[in-house]
Amino acid sequence: MKKVFYAIREGFAICSRKGYKPGREKSNRLYTLPLWIGIPIARKIYQHESLCQMFDGHTQHAPIEIKSMLQDLIQSGQELNLPIPYLTELYKVAFKE
């Protein structure tokens, strides 16, 4: 869970560098909290069966889009010369590359 938070924050850093403010979006605020608060809250939220089904459905029906989004984020991070080790690891693990 900690690595996922770090990967999300790397994505936020890329968005911020491009002029977007991801922390302003209510659904993103969880990932800006300190880990000791954010991780237990995320675990509690993601324990709900209906939410897990929603995420499973999205990941199973849109793997090409998810892969493309991650590739775009990684490419942007590299172009902006930002460190993105967690996004890169997430991509390699998720897509076995």
Side-chain angles (χ1 to χ4, degrees):
M1 181 75 78
K2 188 186 293 188
K3 288 181 179 184
V4 171
F5 264 68
Y6 288 147
I8 291 169
R9 289 176 179 183
E10 288 173 356
F12 287 174
I14 293 165
C15 292
S16 295
R17 184 72 70 86
K18 289 185 160 218
Y20 303 104
K21 297 178 181 173
R24 295 179 80 185
E25 177 64 39
K26 188 176 182 179
S27 62
N28 291 341
R29 291 186 189 152
L30 170 65
Y31 305 103
T32 64
L33 294 172
L35 294 177
W36 63 273
I37 296 172
I39 289 175
I41 292 171
R43 284 189 177 133
K44 180 117 176 117
I45 291 169
Y46 296 123
Q47 283 178 346
H48 294 286
E49 182 66 27
S50 59
L51 192 58
C52 290
Q53 288 175 347
M54 180 187 75
F55 282 121
D56 286 347
H58 180 66
T59 56
Q60 291 172 10
H61 295 293
I64 295 169
E65 289 87 354
I66 293 169
K67 184 176 184 178
S68 178
M69 286 187 289
L70 274 172
Q71 287 171 330
D72 290 346
L73 270 173
I74 291 168
Q75 181 180 350
S76 292
Q78 291 168 341
E79 290 169 359
L80 295 167
N81 205 26
L82 291 170
I84 49 167
Y86 294 98
L87 274 172
T88 304
E89 181 182 351
L90 176 65
Y91 179 84
K92 287 177 182 175
V93 169
F95 297 102
K96 313 251 186 301
E97 292 184 13

